[in-house]
Amino acid sequence: AAIGHLRVDKITSRTIQKFILNLSEDGVNKTTGGKLAPKTVKNYLSFISSIFQYAISQGMIKDNPCRQVTLPAAKPIERTCYTLEEAQYFLELLENEDIMWRCFFVLAIYGGFRRGELYG
């Protein structure tokens, strides 16, 4: 369901919707053989939309067909978390460790920081 062969003025929201839905099917991801991640699909739509915005600014088309496209619903990822007791026990184990590690994990547990934020 590629769209690269079509003229920009011949592409409809239905064409793009079909393309976006195709990205969410098994086998599209060449690395894993599965689907593309929802964020990757969103990035594809954003990129296509920016191309249409440029075409509008150049007077090639009047409307951006990406505005009528809906992204497939992303399934929430279930993550495992420590219970309060497990977190307290973990912090007790860190009492005799280097201050750097204690700070790191206290911030991680109580601050809710992302990994990249903690590394920074």
Side-chain angles (χ1 to χ4, degrees):
I3 58 176
H5 65 285
L6 299 171
R7 283 180 31 166
V8 90
D9 61 338
K10 301 294 183 196
I11 298 175
T12 65
S13 57
R14 189 172 181 177
T15 309
I16 297 169
Q17 184 71 65
K18 186 176 176 184
F19 174 72
I20 292 298
L21 291 175
N22 179 257
L23 294 177
S24 300
E25 294 176 358
D26 284 330
V28 175
N29 188 328
K30 301 295 181 198
T31 306
T32 65
K35 311 171 185 184
L36 291 180
K39 185 176 180 181
T40 304
V41 174
K42 184 178 180 180
N43 289 342
Y44 269 93
L45 182 60
S46 177
F47 177 69
I48 294 167
S49 182
S50 66
I51 292 170
F52 279 104
Q53 284 304 119
Y54 179 75
I56 290 170
S57 73
Q58 297 301 307
M60 298 170 72
I61 56 174
K62 295 190 185 295
D63 188 36
N64 185 342
C66 292
R67 292 178 189 243
Q68 290 82 33
V69 173
T70 56
L71 291 167
K75 294 178 185 171
I77 299 172
E78 189 173 322
R79 302 188 188 275
T80 55
C81 297
Y82 288 144
T83 64
L84 181 59
E85 293 79 22
E86 289 172 329
Q88 288 173 336
Y89 179 68
F90 180 73
L91 292 175
E92 288 171 13
L93 293 174
L94 286 173
E95 285 182 8
N96 295 325
E97 296 300 322
D98 186 74
I99 186 74
M100 177 184 73
W101 294 115
R102 290 192 316 229
C103 287
F104 182 88
F105 288 109
V106 166
L107 285 172
I109 290 173
Y110 289 111
F113 293 100
R114 296 183 194 122
R115 196 175 336 165
E117 294 168 330
L118 288 167
Y119 290 155

Coordinates of all heavy atoms in Angstrom, one line a residue, residues 36-103:
L36 N 5.0 -2.2 12.9 CA 5.7 -1.0 13.4 C 5.1 -0.5 14.7 O 3.9 -0.6 14.9 CB 5.7 0.1 12.3 CG 6.4 -0.2 11.0 CD1 6.2 1.0 10.0 CD2 7.9 -0.5 11.2
A37 N 6.0 0.1 15.5 CA 5.5 0.7 16.7 C 4.5 1.8 16.5 O 4.7 2.6 15.5 CB 6.7 1.2 17.6
P38 N 3.6 2.0 17.4 CA 2.6 3.1 17.2 C 3.3 4.5 17.0 O 2.9 5.3 16.2 CB 1.8 3.1 18.5 CG 1.9 1.7 18.9 CD 3.2 1.2 18.5
K39 N 4.4 4.7 17.7 CA 5.1 6.0 17.6 C 5.7 6.1 16.2 O 5.7 7.2 15.6 CB 6.2 6.1 18.7 CG 6.9 7.5 18.7 CD 7.8 7.6 19.8 CE 8.5 9.0 19.7 NZ 9.5 9.1 20.8
T40 N 6.2 5.0 15.6 CA 6.8 5.1 14.3 C 5.7 5.4 13.3 O 5.9 6.2 12.3 CB 7.5 3.7 14.0 OG1 8.4 3.5 15.0 CG2 8.1 3.7 12.6
V41 N 4.5 4.8 13.4 CA 3.4 5.0 12.5 C 3.0 6.5 12.6 O 2.8 7.1 11.6 CB 2.2 4.1 12.9 CG1 1.0 4.4 12.0 CG2 2.6 2.6 12.7
K42 N 3.0 7.0 13.8 CA 2.6 8.4 14.0 C 3.7 9.3 13.3 O 3.3 10.3 12.7 CB 2.5 8.7 15.5 CG 2.1 10.1 15.8 CD 2.0 10.4 17.3 CE 1.5 11.8 17.5 NZ 1.4 12.1 19.0
N43 N 4.9 8.9 13.4 CA 6.0 9.7 12.7 C 5.8 9.7 11.2 O 6.1 10.7 10.5 CB 7.4 9.2 13.1 CG 7.7 9.5 14.6 OD1 7.1 10.4 15.2 ND2 8.7 8.9 15.1
Y44 N 5.5 8.5 10.7 CA 5.2 8.4 9.2 C 4.1 9.4 8.8 O 4.2 10.1 7.8 CB 4.8 7.0 8.8 CG 5.9 6.1 8.4 CD1 6.5 5.3 9.4 CD2 6.4 6.0 7.1 CE1 7.6 4.4 9.0 CE2 7.4 5.2 6.7 CZ 8.0 4.4 7.7 OH 9.0 3.6 7.3
L45 N 3.0 9.4 9.6 CA 1.9 10.3 9.2 C 2.3 11.8 9.4 O 1.9 12.6 8.5 CB 0.7 10.0 10.2 CG -0.6 10.8 9.9 CD1 -1.1 10.6 8.5 CD2 -1.7 10.5 10.9
S46 N 3.1 12.1 10.4 CA 3.6 13.4 10.5 C 4.4 13.9 9.4 O 4.3 15.0 8.8 CB 4.3 13.5 11.8 OG 4.9 14.8 12.0
F47 N 5.3 13.0 8.9 CA 6.2 13.3 7.8 C 5.4 13.5 6.5 O 5.6 14.5 5.8 CB 7.2 12.1 7.6 CG 8.1 12.3 6.4 CD1 9.0 13.3 6.4 CD2 7.9 11.5 5.3 CE1 9.8 13.5 5.3 CE2 8.7 11.7 4.2 CZ 9.7 12.7 4.2
I48 N 4.4 12.6 6.3 CA 3.6 12.7 5.1 C 2.8 14.1 5.1 O 2.6 14.8 4.1 CB 2.6 11.5 4.9 CG1 3.4 10.3 4.7 CG2 1.6 11.7 3.8 CD1 2.6 9.0 4.9
S49 N 2.3 14.4 6.3 CA 1.5 15.6 6.5 C 2.4 16.8 6.2 O 1.9 17.8 5.6 CB 1.0 15.7 7.9 OG 0.2 16.8 8.1
S50 N 3.6 16.8 6.6 CA 4.5 18.0 6.3 C 4.7 18.1 4.8 O 4.9 19.2 4.3 CB 5.8 17.8 7.1 OG 6.6 16.7 6.6
I51 N 4.8 17.0 4.1 CA 4.9 17.1 2.6 C 3.7 17.8 2.0 O 3.8 18.6 1.2 CB 5.1 15.7 2.0 CG1 6.5 15.2 2.5 CG2 5.0 15.7 0.5 CD1 6.8 13.7 2.1
F52 N 2.5 17.4 2.5 CA 1.3 18.0 2.0 C 1.2 19.5 2.4 O 0.7 20.3 1.6 CB 0.1 17.2 2.5 CG -0.2 16.0 1.7 CD1 0.1 14.7 2.2 CD2 -0.7 16.1 0.4 CE1 -0.1 13.6 1.4 CE2 -1.0 15.0 -0.4 CZ -0.7 13.7 0.1
Q53 N 1.7 19.8 3.6 CA 1.7 21.2 4.0 C 2.6 22.0 3.0 O 2.2 23.2 2.7 CB 2.1 21.4 5.4 CG 1.1 21.0 6.5 CD -0.2 21.8 6.3 OE1 -1.2 21.2 6.1 NE2 -0.2 23.1 6.4
Y54 N 3.7 21.5 2.6 CA 4.6 22.1 1.7 C 3.9 22.3 0.3 O 4.0 23.3 -0.3 CB 5.9 21.4 1.5 CG 6.8 22.0 0.6 CD1 7.5 23.2 0.9 CD2 7.0 21.5 -0.7 CE1 8.4 23.8 0.0 CE2 7.8 22.1 -1.6 CZ 8.5 23.2 -1.3 OH 9.4 23.8 -2.2
A55 N 3.2 21.2 -0.1 CA 2.5 21.3 -1.4 C 1.4 22.4 -1.3 O 1.1 23.1 -2.3 CB 1.8 19.9 -1.7
I56 N 0.7 22.5 -0.2 CA -0.3 23.6 0.0 C 0.4 25.0 -0.2 O -0.1 25.8 -0.9 CB -1.0 23.5 1.3 CG1 -1.9 22.2 1.3 CG2 -1.8 24.7 1.6 CD1 -2.5 21.9 2.7
S57 N 1.5 25.1 0.5 CA 2.2 26.4 0.4 C 2.7 26.7 -1.0 O 2.9 27.9 -1.3 CB 3.4 26.4 1.4 OG 4.5 25.6 0.9
Q58 N 2.9 25.7 -1.8 CA 3.4 25.9 -3.2 C 2.2 26.0 -4.2 O 2.4 26.2 -5.4 CB 4.3 24.8 -3.6 CG 5.6 24.7 -2.8 CD 6.4 26.0 -2.9 OE1 6.7 26.5 -4.0 NE2 6.7 26.6 -1.7
G59 N 1.0 25.9 -3.6 CA -0.2 26.1 -4.5 C -0.5 24.8 -5.3 O -1.3 24.9 -6.3
M60 N 0.0 23.7 -5.0 CA -0.2 22.5 -5.7 C -1.5 21.8 -5.4 O -2.1 21.2 -6.2 CB 1.0 21.5 -5.5 CG 2.3 22.0 -5.9 SD 3.7 21.0 -5.4 CE 3.5 19.6 -6.4
I61 N -1.9 21.9 -4.1 CA -3.2 21.4 -3.6 C -3.8 22.4 -2.6 O -3.1 23.3 -2.2 CB -3.0 20.0 -2.9 CG1 -2.0 20.1 -1.7 CG2 -2.5 18.9 -3.9 CD1 -1.8 18.9 -0.9
K62 N -5.1 22.2 -2.3 CA -5.8 23.1 -1.4 C -5.9 22.6 0.0 O -6.1 23.4 0.9 CB -7.1 23.5 -2.0 CG -7.1 24.2 -3.3 CD -8.4 24.7 -3.8 CE -8.4 25.4 -5.1 NZ -7.6 26.5 -5.2
D63 N -5.9 21.3 0.2 CA -6.2 20.7 1.5 C -5.2 19.6 1.8 O -4.7 18.9 0.9 CB -7.7 20.2 1.5 CG -8.1 19.7 2.9 OD1 -7.7 20.4 3.9 OD2 -8.8 18.7 3.0
N64 N -5.0 19.4 3.1 CA -4.1 18.4 3.6 C -4.9 17.1 3.9 O -5.7 17.1 4.9 CB -3.3 18.8 4.8 CG -2.3 17.8 5.3 OD1 -2.3 16.6 4.9 ND2 -1.4 18.3 6.1
P65 N -4.8 16.1 3.1 CA -5.7 14.9 3.3 C -5.3 14.1 4.6 O -6.1 13.3 5.1 CB -5.4 14.0 2.1 CG -4.2 14.5 1.5 CD -4.0 15.9 1.9
C66 N -4.2 14.4 5.2 CA -3.7 13.8 6.4 C -4.6 14.2 7.6 O -4.7 13.5 8.6 CB -2.3 14.1 6.8 SG -1.1 13.3 5.6
R67 N -5.3 15.3 7.5 CA -6.1 15.8 8.6 C -7.3 14.9 8.9 O -7.8 14.8 10.0 CB -6.6 17.2 8.4 CG -5.5 18.2 8.4 CD -6.0 19.6 8.0 NE -4.9 20.5 7.8 CZ -4.7 21.5 8.6 NH1 -5.5 21.8 9.6 NH2 -3.7 22.3 8.4
Q68 N -7.7 14.1 7.9 CA -8.9 13.2 8.2 C -8.4 11.8 8.5 O -9.3 10.9 8.7 CB -9.8 13.1 6.9 CG -10.6 14.4 6.6 CD -9.7 15.5 5.9 OE1 -8.9 15.2 5.1 NE2 -10.0 16.7 6.2
V69 N -7.1 11.5 8.6 CA -6.6 10.2 8.9 C -6.6 10.0 10.4 O -6.2 10.9 11.2 CB -5.2 10.0 8.3 CG1 -4.6 8.7 8.7 CG2 -5.3 10.1 6.8
T70 N -7.0 8.8 10.8 CA -6.9 8.5 12.3 C -5.9 7.4 12.4 O -5.8 6.4 11.6 CB -8.3 8.0 12.8 OG1 -8.7 6.9 12.0 CG2 -9.3 9.1 12.8
L71 N -5.1 7.5 13.5 CA -4.1 6.5 13.8 C -4.8 5.3 14.5 O -5.7 5.5 15.2 CB -3.1 7.1 14.7 CG -2.2 8.2 14.1 CD1 -1.4 8.9 15.2 CD2 -1.2 7.6 13.1
P72 N -4.2 4.1 14.3 CA -4.7 2.9 14.9 C -4.5 3.1 16.5 O -3.5 3.7 16.9 CB -3.9 1.8 14.4 CG -3.0 2.3 13.4 CD -3.2 3.8 13.3
A73 N -5.4 2.6 17.2 CA -5.3 2.6 18.7 C -4.1 1.8 19.1 O -3.9 0.7 18.7 CB -6.6 2.1 19.3
A74 N -3.3 2.4 20.0 CA -2.2 1.7 20.6 C -2.6 0.9 21.8 O -3.3 1.4 22.6 CB -1.1 2.7 20.9
K75 N -2.1 -0.3 21.9 CA -2.4 -1.1 23.0 C -1.5 -0.7 24.2 O -0.3 -0.6 24.0 CB -2.2 -2.6 22.7 CG -3.1 -3.1 21.7 CD -2.8 -4.6 21.3 CE -3.7 -5.1 20.2 NZ -3.3 -6.4 19.7
P76 N -2.0 -0.5 25.3 CA -1.2 -0.1 26.5 C -0.2 -1.2 26.9 O -0.6 -2.4 26.8 CB -2.2 0.2 27.6 CG -3.5 -0.4 27.2 CD -3.4 -0.6 25.7
I77 N 1.0 -0.8 27.2 CA 2.0 -1.8 27.6 C 1.9 -1.9 29.1 O 1.9 -1.0 29.9 CB 3.4 -1.2 27.2 CG1 3.5 -1.1 25.7 CG2 4.5 -2.2 27.8 CD1 4.8 -0.4 25.3
E78 N 1.8 -3.2 29.6 CA 1.7 -3.4 31.0 C 3.1 -3.6 31.5 O 3.9 -4.3 31.0 CB 0.9 -4.7 31.2 CG 0.7 -5.0 32.7 CD -0.2 -6.2 32.9 OE1 -1.2 -6.4 32.1 OE2 0.0 -6.9 33.9
R79 N 3.4 -2.8 32.5 CA 4.7 -2.8 33.1 C 4.6 -3.3 34.6 O 3.7 -3.0 35.3 CB 5.3 -1.4 33.1 CG 5.4 -0.8 31.7 CD 6.2 0.5 31.7 NE 6.1 1.2 30.4 CZ 6.9 0.9 29.4 NH1 7.8 0.0 29.5 NH2 6.8 1.6 28.3
T80 N 5.7 -4.0 35.0 CA 5.7 -4.5 36.4 C 6.4 -3.4 37.2 O 7.4 -2.8 36.8 CB 6.4 -5.8 36.5 OG1 7.7 -5.7 35.9 CG2 5.7 -6.9 35.7
C81 N 5.9 -3.2 38.4 CA 6.4 -2.2 39.3 C 6.6 -2.9 40.7 O 5.9 -3.8 41.0 CB 5.5 -1.0 39.5 SG 5.2 -0.1 38.0
Y82 N 7.6 -2.3 41.4 CA 7.8 -2.8 42.8 C 6.6 -2.4 43.6 O 6.0 -1.3 43.5 CB 9.0 -2.1 43.4 CG 10.3 -2.6 42.9 CD1 11.4 -1.8 42.7 CD2 10.5 -4.0 42.5 CE1 12.6 -2.2 42.2 CE2 11.7 -4.4 42.1 CZ 12.8 -3.6 41.9 OH 14.0 -4.0 41.5
T83 N 6.3 -3.2 44.6 CA 5.3 -2.9 45.6 C 6.0 -1.9 46.6 O 7.2 -1.8 46.5 CB 4.8 -4.1 46.4 OG1 5.9 -4.7 47.1 CG2 4.1 -5.1 45.5
L84 N 5.3 -1.3 47.4 CA 5.9 -0.4 48.4 C 6.9 -1.1 49.3 O 8.0 -0.6 49.5 CB 4.8 0.3 49.3 CG 5.2 1.3 50.3 CD1 6.0 2.4 49.7 CD2 4.0 1.8 51.1
E85 N 6.5 -2.3 49.7 CA 7.4 -3.1 50.6 C 8.7 -3.5 49.8 O 9.8 -3.4 50.4 CB 6.7 -4.4 51.1 CG 5.6 -4.1 52.0 CD 4.3 -3.7 51.3 OE1 4.1 -4.0 50.1 OE2 3.4 -3.0 52.0
E86 N 8.6 -3.9 48.5 CA 9.7 -4.2 47.8 C 10.7 -3.0 47.5 O 11.9 -3.1 47.6 CB 9.3 -4.8 46.4 CG 8.7 -6.1 46.5 CD 8.1 -6.6 45.1 OE1 7.6 -5.7 44.3 OE2 8.1 -7.8 44.9
A87 N 10.1 -1.9 47.3 CA 10.9 -0.6 47.1 C 11.6 -0.3 48.4 O 12.8 0.1 48.4 CB 10.0 0.5 46.6
Q88 N 10.9 -0.4 49.5 CA 11.6 -0.1 50.8 C 12.7 -1.0 51.1 O 13.8 -0.6 51.6 CB 10.5 -0.1 52.0 CG 9.6 1.1 51.9 CD 8.5 1.0 52.9 OE1 8.1 -0.1 53.4 NE2 7.9 2.1 53.3
Y89 N 12.5 -2.3 50.8 CA 13.5 -3.3 51.0 C 14.7 -3.0 50.1 O 15.9 -3.1 50.6 CB 13.0 -4.7 50.8 CG 14.0 -5.8 51.0 CD1 14.5 -6.1 52.2 CD2 14.4 -6.5 49.9 CE1 15.5 -7.1 52.4 CE2 15.4 -7.5 50.0 CZ 15.9 -7.8 51.3 OH 16.9 -8.8 51.4
F90 N 14.5 -2.7 48.9 CA 15.5 -2.4 47.9 C 16.4 -1.2 48.4 O 17.6 -1.2 48.4 CB 14.9 -2.1 46.6 CG 16.0 -1.7 45.5 CD1 16.8 -2.7 45.0 CD2 16.1 -0.4 45.1 CE1 17.7 -2.4 44.0 CE2 17.1 -0.1 44.1 CZ 17.9 -1.1 43.6
L91 N 15.7 -0.1 48.9 CA 16.4 1.0 49.4 C 17.2 0.7 50.7 O 18.3 1.2 50.9 CB 15.4 2.2 49.7 CG 14.8 2.8 48.4 CD1 13.8 3.8 48.8 CD2 15.9 3.4 47.5
E92 N 16.7 -0.2 51.5 CA 17.5 -0.6 52.7 C 18.7 -1.4 52.3 O 19.8 -1.2 52.9 CB 16.6 -1.6 53.6 CG 15.5 -0.9 54.3 CD 14.5 -1.8 55.0 OE1 14.9 -3.1 55.1 OE2 13.4 -1.4 55.4
L93 N 18.7 -2.1 51.2 CA 19.9 -2.8 50.7 C 20.9 -1.9 50.2 O 22.1 -2.2 50.2 CB 19.5 -3.8 49.6 CG 18.6 -5.0 50.0 CD1 18.2 -5.8 48.8 CD2 19.4 -5.9 51.0
L94 N 20.5 -0.7 49.8 CA 21.4 0.3 49.3 C 22.1 1.2 50.3 O 23.0 2.0 50.0 CB 20.7 1.2 48.3 CG 20.3 0.7 46.9 CD1 19.4 1.6 46.2 CD2 21.6 0.4 46.1
E95 N 21.7 1.0 51.6 CA 22.2 1.9 52.6 C 23.8 1.9 52.7 O 24.3 2.9 53.1 CB 21.6 1.5 54.0 CG 20.2 2.0 54.1 CD 19.6 1.7 55.5 OE1 20.3 1.2 56.4 OE2 18.4 1.9 55.6
N96 N 24.4 0.8 52.5 CA 25.9 0.8 52.6 C 26.6 0.9 51.2 O 27.8 0.7 51.1 CB 26.3 -0.6 53.2 CG 25.8 -0.7 54.6 OD1 25.7 0.3 55.4 ND2 25.4 -1.9 55.0
E97 N 25.8 1.3 50.2 CA 26.4 1.5 48.9 C 26.9 2.9 48.7 O 26.6 3.8 49.5 CB 25.4 1.1 47.8 CG 25.0 -0.4 47.8 CD 26.2 -1.3 47.6 OE1 27.1 -1.0 46.8 OE2 26.2 -2.4 48.3
D98 N 27.6 3.1 47.6 CA 28.1 4.5 47.2 C 26.9 5.5 47.1 O 25.8 5.1 46.7 CB 28.8 4.4 45.9 CG 29.5 5.6 45.5 OD1 30.5 6.0 46.1 OD2 28.9 6.3 44.6
I99 N 27.1 6.7 47.5 CA 26.1 7.7 47.5 C 25.5 7.9 46.1 O 24.3 8.2 46.0 CB 26.6 9.1 48.1 CG1 25.5 10.1 48.2 CG2 27.7 9.6 47.2 CD1 24.6 9.8 49.4
M100 N 26.3 7.8 45.1 CA 25.8 7.9 43.7 C 24.7 7.0 43.4 O 23.7 7.4 42.9 CB 27.0 7.7 42.7 CG 26.5 7.8 41.3 SD 27.8 7.5 40.1 CE 28.0 5.7 40.3
W101 N 24.8 5.7 43.8 CA 23.8 4.7 43.5 C 22.6 4.9 44.4 O 21.4 4.8 43.9 CB 24.3 3.3 43.7 CG 25.4 3.0 42.8 CD1 26.7 2.7 43.0 CD2 25.2 2.9 41.3 NE1 27.4 2.5 41.8 CE2 26.5 2.6 40.8 CE3 24.2 3.0 40.5 CZ2 26.7 2.4 39.4 CZ3 24.4 2.9 39.1 CH2 25.6 2.6 38.6
R102 N 22.8 5.4 45.6 CA 21.7 5.6 46.5 C 20.8 6.8 45.9 O 19.6 6.7 45.9 CB 22.1 6.0 47.9 CG 22.7 4.7 48.6 CD 22.8 5.0 50.1 NE 23.5 6.3 50.4 CZ 24.5 6.5 51.2 NH1 25.0 5.5 51.8 NH2 25.0 7.7 51.3
C103 N 21.5 7.9 45.5 CA 20.8 9.0 44.9 C 20.1 8.6 43.7 O 18.9 9.0 43.4 CB 21.8 10.1 44.6 SG 22.4 11.0 46.0

